[in-house]
Amino acid sequence: MSTPEVPRRVRVTSPRTSAARRMAINTGTREIDEQTRVGEVYMHSLIQSQLRLALAVIAGAALTLGSLPLLFLLVPATRTFSVFGLPLPWLLLGIAVYPVVYVAARIYVRNAERIETEFTEFVGRK
């Protein structure tokens, strides 16, 4: 009985080991990670975009929901109008508010994701 042959070790190397190394390119993410002035500008831009979006959505929702009490004040017939035996103000302020808030939240999330995607693509290109 003979002993099985042990496979011989082979050293594998890259054919480009002697090639000149590429210089590292400063990307936007590197600027942000190293907290350089350019990285601060990038982050400030992202935060400003997010803040603008949040304020726009809040203002739109507040304007929509805030106009309901104004409607009841300026149009007295809306205070006494009933739908299926329920007063219109109760229906609008108690039920119709939730779809408005839901739509505002969906708009915010969709646009916030778009802003973040655009920012990630922009920073990755630099």
Side-chain angles (χ1 to χ4, degrees):
M1 200 149 90
S2 68
T3 59
E5 270 189 48
V6 178
R8 214 172 115 201
R9 288 185 162 215
V10 177
R11 182 176 180 188
V12 179
T13 60
S14 169
R16 295 186 48 94
T17 53
S18 61
R21 301 218 185 262
R22 288 194 309 174
M23 295 289 293
I25 299 171
N26 279 343
T27 63
T29 54
R30 178 179 224 157
E31 298 287 341
I32 293 169
D33 290 341
E34 293 177 359
Q35 297 180 352
T36 64
R37 181 69 183 131
V38 174
E40 288 178 18
V41 170
Y42 287 158
M43 290 307 298
H44 182 72
S45 169
L46 174 63
I47 291 169
Q48 288 296 324
S49 297
Q50 291 173 335
L51 179 62
R52 253 189 319 276
L53 171 63
L55 292 176
V57 170
I58 288 171
L63 185 65
T64 302
L65 298 175
S67 66
L68 290 176
L70 188 61
L71 171 73
F72 302 140
L73 179 68
L74 297 177
V75 184
T78 58
R79 289 183 242 160
T80 58
F81 188 76
S82 293
V83 177
F84 300 117
L86 292 172
L88 181 64
W90 286 22
L91 288 174
L92 291 178
L93 294 173
I95 296 173
V97 167
Y98 296 104
V100 172
V101 171
Y102 177 77
V103 168
R106 290 289 302 213
I107 289 170
Y108 176 78
V109 169
R110 186 177 62 230
N111 286 317
E113 288 173 349
R114 180 186 52 79
I115 288 171
E116 290 175 8
T117 301
E118 289 174 357
F119 177 77
T120 303
E121 290 172 359
F122 175 75
V123 169
R125 282 195 307 244
K126 286 288 179 181

